[in-house]
């Protein structure tokens, strides 16, 4: 039986001998990967690729959770089965990337802030209703001789904390990823 409480989900995600599969490539990122091997990045090709990963024989022994992109959480396999159900049938939990990318912090091209807090509560509510058990939010902190500034660190950490509170309010475990 798959876990339901925040504590059970968190414990399950860090199960010994298992890992989390990051399958949350944006459409632009997966397009670059496909282009490098001369495959057109259509929704059907992206679905076929993801379905191949999620139906792999070792999913059940190696993967505890899969971070998905919005498109993937909503996709069905070739047989009509939602990809999220394929994931859970292998004993892994579906999760969702909820940040909306990076933007320059206060106009500085070296410092970044993560977008996506606006409307996050509504998105998380919907993702939870679609079966997501956890979320991921990434903050990028570039380090140089003069960066990061205290202000950039503070604003990114405040955004991470707000994100985590919203995810938990919506019964999903937050994965906080300062990079």
């Amino acid at each position: 039986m798959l876990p339901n409480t925040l504590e059970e989900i968190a414990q399950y995600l860090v199960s010994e001998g298992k890992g989390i599969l990051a399958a949350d490539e944006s459409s632009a990122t997966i397009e670059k990967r496909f282009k490098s091997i001369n495959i057109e990045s259509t929704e059907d090709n992206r679905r076929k690729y993801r379905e191949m990963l999620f139906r792999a024989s070792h999913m059940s022994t190696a993967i505890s959770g899969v971070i998905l992109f919005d498109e993937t959480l909503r996709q069905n396999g070739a047989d009509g089965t939602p990809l999220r159900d394929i994931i859970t049938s292998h004993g892994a939990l579906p999760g969702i990337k909820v940040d909306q990318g990076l933007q320059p912090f206060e106009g500085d091209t070296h410092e970044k802030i993560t977008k996506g807090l606006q409307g996050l509560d509504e998105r998380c509510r919907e993702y939870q209703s679609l079966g997501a058990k956890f979320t991921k939010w990434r903050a990028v902190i570039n380090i140089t001789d003069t960066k990061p500034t205290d202000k950039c660190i503070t604003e990114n950490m405040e955004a991470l904390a707000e994100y985590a509170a919203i995810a938990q309010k919506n019964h999903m475990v937050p994965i906080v990823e300062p990079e």
Side-chain angles (χ1 to χ4, degrees):
M1 186 165 154
L2 293 176
N4 285 311
T5 68
L6 292 177
E7 183 178 348
E8 289 170 346
I9 293 165
Q11 289 290 334
Y12 194 85
L13 289 172
V14 296
S15 298
E16 188 172 334
K18 291 192 175 187
I20 296 173
L21 173 61
D24 60 329
E25 306 98 337
S26 68
S27 297
T29 299
I30 203 166
E31 182 173 5
K32 287 180 206 170
R33 291 183 181 163
F34 280 6
K35 189 177 257 186
S36 74
I37 56 172
N38 297 317
I39 294 177
E40 186 179 1
S41 182
T42 64
E43 183 177 351
D44 191 51
N45 283 341
R46 292 188 300 272
R47 184 218 26 98
K48 287 176 185 175
Y49 168 71
R50 293 165 176 153
E51 187 172 1
M52 175 192 66
L53 291 175
F54 306 153
R55 289 190 187 273
S57 60
H58 289 292
M59 269 284 292
S60 60
T61 59
I63 304 298
S64 59
V66 182
I67 305 168
L68 304 172
F69 192 62
D70 183 273
E71 175 183 74
T72 319
L73 185 64
R74 300 171 192 282
Q75 278 181 321
N76 293 330
D79 64 0
T81 305
L83 293 182
R84 62 186 179 267
D85 291 350
I86 294 168
I87 291 166
T88 58
S89 75
H90 286 280
L93 303 177
I96 183 76
K97 173 188 186 264
V98 296
D99 73 73
Q100 296 180 322
L102 306 171
Q103 67 185 25
F105 178 71
E106 295 187 342
D108 187 320
T109 58
H110 292 95
E111 292 197 297
K112 308 286 182 199
I113 189 82
T114 306
K115 302 181 296 183
L117 288 173
Q118 187 174 357
L120 180 61
D121 188 50
E122 295 80 15
R123 290 193 318 276
C124 282
R125 194 173 310 118
E126 179 184 13
Y127 292 145
Q128 195 272 340
S129 75
L130 291 171
K133 298 289 188 181
F134 67 98
T135 60
K136 182 197 94 166
W137 181 283
R138 184 181 81 146
V140 175
I141 310 296
N142 290 317
I143 300 173
T144 69
D145 289 341
T146 59
K147 305 288 186 211
T149 61
D150 288 344
K151 187 173 183 182
C152 182
I153 291 173
T154 298
E155 292 206 22
N156 269 293
M157 296 311 110
E158 286 174 358
L160 284 166
E162 186 174 348
Y163 141 72
I166 292 169
Q168 290 175 74
K169 174 186 160 202
N170 285 283
H171 312 289
M172 292 183 289
V173 169
I175 293 179
V176 177
E177 183 185 357
E179 178 182 310

